């Protein structure tokens, strides 16, 4: 009898605790998790690691994995995890009504396997003193001879770039994408290294003149009060590329219910919470990302200053799917 009672207690404790594997690397998210626990009484046990480590861990743990929710920061990673069978489909009227279909995994009939909760644009930053705006107005211009010796990016194989290149593949086809990638390599000021913020700093210092970055890294510098960040923002301009054609590439941070989730109901509840007005505002305030929920008013001086823009509408699931081809093209043109 005592053993049974203990077992029941244990089950209740488990339902009151949600295990999250997260690749979101933003300190401001703490408030998000705390608010969920406060609203639901469900405690969160979180394991933070980068995308690759999260996926490797899920794979090695298999059915024994304690993970209920998985948070990743790129469409290509979410797609890869779905293909590898690490998620399970979720049917939720809330998620379907709140999140546009282009920002979630393909609905198999049983629901989507993952959902985007915030968006970020892949923008071009350039040195205001040395670059004409027209020379940095499109992704295509990164490969133009006018930018010879002026371009820097992080690794071509980083998910943020794989996804951008996957969108370009959709627009330009394979042959033109390969030529374009080779053109970027030919224009590089230095071999790819560092993260997006490092590229922005390199543009400000003059080591290179044109670079790619996610919008929130630039917004973070815009909102920073540190003198060294102010100095960087002074020297650098940001553009939303390809406004006259298909629009700027937009990627997502998103989440899913783990394949072997022990607390499925709480996991779905958590995903629905991430689509709530409060959580959506948090993504904007905390990490300078745009909400996925349409028509939500946000107050963020950096995002306001960036202004509205035309976003590319290629579904993020298609972009994810293209990454295998993209990686092959990168290898062929020597884009490390
Ligand atoms: Fe990031």
């Amino acid at each position: 009898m005592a053993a049974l009672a203990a077992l029941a207690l244990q089950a209740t404790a488990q339902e009151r605790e949600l295990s999250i594997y997260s690749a979101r690397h933003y300190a401001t998210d703490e408030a998000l998790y705390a608010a969920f626990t406060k609203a639901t009484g469900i405690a969160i046990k979180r394991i933070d690691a980068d995308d690759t480590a999260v996926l490797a861990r899920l794979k090695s743990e298999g059915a024994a994995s304690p993970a209920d929710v998985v948070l990743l920061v790129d469409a290509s990673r979410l797609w890869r995890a779905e293909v590898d069978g690490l998620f399970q489909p979720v049917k939720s009227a809330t998620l379907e009504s709140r999140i546009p279909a282009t920002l979630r995994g393909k609905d198999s009939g049983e629901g989507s396997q993952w959902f985007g909760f915030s968006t970020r644009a892949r923008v071009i930053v350039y040195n205001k003193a040395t670059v004409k705006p027209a020379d940095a107005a499109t992704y295509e211009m990164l490969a133009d001879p006018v930018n010879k010796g002026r371009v820097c990016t992080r690794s071509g194989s980083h998910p943020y770039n794989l996804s951008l290149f996957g969108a370009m593949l959709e627009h330009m086809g394979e042959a033109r994408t390969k030529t374009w990638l080779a053109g970027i390599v030919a224009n590089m000021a230095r071999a790819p290294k560092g993260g997006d913020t490092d590229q922005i700093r390199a543009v400000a210092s003059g080591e290179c003149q044109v670079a790619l970055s996610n919008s929130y890294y630039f917004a973070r510098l815009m909102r920073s009060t540190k003198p060294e960040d102010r100095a960087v923002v002074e020297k650098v301009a940001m553009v939303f590329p390809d406004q006259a054609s298909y629009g700027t590439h937009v990627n997502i941070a998103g989440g899913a219910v783990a394949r072997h989730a022990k607390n499925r109901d709480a996991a779905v509840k958590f995903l629905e919470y991430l689509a709530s007005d409060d959580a959506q505002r948090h993504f904007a305030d905390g990490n300078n990302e745009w909400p996925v929920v349409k028509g939500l008013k946000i107050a963020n001086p950096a995002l306001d200053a960036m202004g509205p823009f035309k976003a590319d509408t290629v579904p993020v699931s298609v972009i994810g799917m293209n990454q295998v081809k993209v990686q092959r093209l990168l290898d062929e043109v020597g884009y490390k």
Side-chain angles (χ1 to χ4, degrees), residues 109-121:
E110 294 164 49
S112 297
Q113 298 225 2
W114 47 267
F115 301 86
F117 292 106
S118 58
T119 64
R120 53 277 295 281

Side-chain angles (χ1 to χ4, degrees), residues 110-238:
E110 294 164 49
S112 297
Q113 298 225 2
W114 47 267
F115 301 86
F117 292 106
S118 58
T119 64
R120 53 277 295 281
R122 195 103 183 108
V123 299
I124 292 176
V125 292
Y126 64 89
N127 189 302
K128 283 194 280 195
T130 58
V131 176
K132 282 193 264 163
D135 294 346
T138 66
Y139 297 120
E140 290 85 337
M141 285 304 290
L142 295 174
D144 191 282
V146 76
N147 285 319
K148 180 122 193 112
R150 307 209 293 184
V151 176
C152 58
T153 75
R154 73 193 305 162
S155 165
S157 303
H158 187 277
Y160 298 162
N161 282 337
L162 284 181
S163 289
L164 166 63
F165 303 158
M168 295 303 274
L169 183 66
E170 211 51 32
H171 294 302
M172 304 200 296
E174 202 168 317
R176 277 180 60 210
T177 303
K178 184 174 173 180
T179 307
W180 174 65
L181 290 170
I184 296 178
V185 172
N187 281 349
M188 280 179 184
R190 63 177 191 191
K193 65 170 181 182
D196 284 355
T197 304
D198 298 314
Q199 315 310 317
I200 302 173
R201 292 190 194 286
V203 166
S205 77
E207 188 181 355
C208 43
Q209 314 297 326
V210 188
L212 284 166
S213 172
N214 277 357
S215 47
Y216 57 88
Y217 292 113
F218 192 70
R220 195 181 290 165
L221 291 174
M222 283 171 82
R223 292 177 76 184
S224 171
T225 51
K226 288 185 196 156
E228 63 269 31
D229 293 341
R230 305 296 328 147
V232 166
V233 172
E234 284 286 297
K235 292 200 171 73
V236 176
M238 187 214 92

